[in-house]
Amino acid sequence: MIMSDCQHEIFNCVQTVPIFKHLNQEEMNNIYQIAHTKKYKKGEFVYTSGDLGTALYVVFSGKIKISRLNINGKEQVIRIVAHGDFLGELTLFSATELKENAEVVEDAVMCVISANDFQRMINNYPSITLKILDVMSRRLESAEKTIETINLNSVTQRVSTALLELFDGKNVVDLPMKKGDLASQIGTSQESLSRTLSSLQTRGIITLKGQKTIILNDCEKLIETTFEV
């Protein structure tokens, strides 16, 4: 059977998403039948705070920014999701309003499974629920770690820790988000982030190239800065 581009996107999405990888081919084909694709342009919202959750969204391509606004309208970036990740899952377990905004920051293609189909899916394949809960528990752990870091660590420590996570064995990285979003995620201002990056460059630890590219010159010294007060 020759697949259309849309069918091919759904098939690839189901095949590559971690929460589905443990399923056999027949089970994957059943999920493939209930999923559909939806395309989003940069700047669009998949959903906003206050919306009722109606579906599970799985990212096939592009990037989505998950954030919240405080009572003063200040944005707190929670995470950036990309290929293979999912969002909108919380309201599929309970009928509550969404608390976050999901903004497309890079043109995206999403694989969408409606809430009703999702409920039937996890009834048929309970192991999927365990996979989703595993990801959600790791997100909670990451959120708790972020709160601890913001409360206890200096800006330099936070920036250095974030850079080490981005490098993750690589010597060159492109920031996956705007500097303002990264600053929000680690609980500082864009100005403080820029000053800290410039300081690290002056010290020869990193080299800034353009607006997003960062070159790691000395990993050991960068690790040492995570202990600076």
Side-chain angles (χ1 to χ4, degrees):
M1 180 179 70
I2 299 176
M3 292 185 182
S4 67
D5 289 343
C6 182
Q7 290 173 318
H8 193 263
E9 287 171 347
I10 299 173
F11 184 79
N12 282 340
C13 183
V14 172
Q15 289 284 334
T16 58
V17 172
I19 61 173
F20 298 145
K21 277 191 172 181
H22 65 289
L23 301 179
N24 62 40
Q25 192 60 54
E26 181 181 355
E27 292 168 335
M28 283 192 174
N29 287 339
N30 289 335
I31 294 173
Y32 161 74
Q33 295 298 324
I34 64 174
H36 68 276
T37 59
K38 189 170 182 180
K39 297 183 178 181
Y40 294 86
K41 291 291 185 182
K42 179 179 178 180
E44 288 187 286
F45 284 85
V46 180
Y47 56 76
T48 58
S49 176
D51 289 348
L52 291 177
T54 58
L56 176 74
Y57 300 88
V58 182
V59 184
F60 176 65
S61 63
K63 292 178 181 177
I64 315 297
K65 177 175 69 175
I66 308 300
S67 65
R68 293 191 180 196
L69 296 178
N70 66 17
I71 58 175
N72 296 318
K74 183 177 180 180
E75 182 182 58
Q76 172 65 55
V77 177
I78 299 171
R79 63 183 176 274
I80 302 290
V81 296
H83 173 73
D85 210 340
F86 58 86
L87 55 150
E89 72 285 350
L90 291 178
T91 54
L92 300 179
F93 293 101
S94 61
T96 57
E97 293 182 351
L98 292 158
K99 307 299 184 183
E100 305 164 344
N101 298 309
E103 181 184 358
V104 180
V105 293
E106 182 181 287
D107 287 1
V109 176
M110 312 280 279
C111 295
V112 185
I113 300 174
S114 73
N116 291 335
D117 286 334
F118 177 82
Q119 292 290 346
R120 286 192 289 270
M121 180 181 72
I122 61 177
N123 287 334
N124 292 330
Y125 313 120
S127 59
I128 293 177
T129 305
L130 295 178
K131 293 289 184 181
I132 290 177
L133 290 176
D134 175 61
V135 174
M136 290 169 64
S137 67
R138 284 188 277 114
R139 286 180 180 175
L140 178 59
E141 181 182 4
S142 176
E144 291 176 342
K145 181 180 177 182
T146 298
I147 293 171
E148 179 183 8
T149 298
I150 291 173
N151 288 333
L152 300 179
N153 293 352
S154 68
V155 174
T156 298
Q157 289 173 320
R158 280 178 262 159
V159 172
S160 297
T161 299
L163 289 178
L164 286 169
E165 291 176 354
L166 288 172
F167 282 118
D168 191 25
K170 302 184 290 291
N171 291 323
V172 180
V173 295
D174 288 325
L175 293 179
M177 62 190 85
K178 296 178 181 177
K179 286 183 180 178
D181 290 338
L182 177 59
S184 172
Q185 191 171 34
I186 62 176
T188 189
S189 66
Q190 185 170 343
E191 291 76 14
S192 293
L193 171 63
S194 296
R195 282 197 299 269
T196 304
L197 290 174
S198 296
S199 175
L200 293 173
Q201 177 170 245
T202 300
R203 295 164 64 180
I205 299 173
I206 63 171
T207 297
L208 304 174
K209 187 176 181 181
Q211 292 297 312
K212 285 195 170 185
T213 303
I214 302 177
I215 301 168
L216 177 61
N217 300 324
D218 195 323
C219 184
E220 289 187 5
K221 285 186 178 180
L222 184 60
I223 292 174
E224 289 174 3
T225 63
T226 63
F227 298 98
E228 292 181 0
V229 178

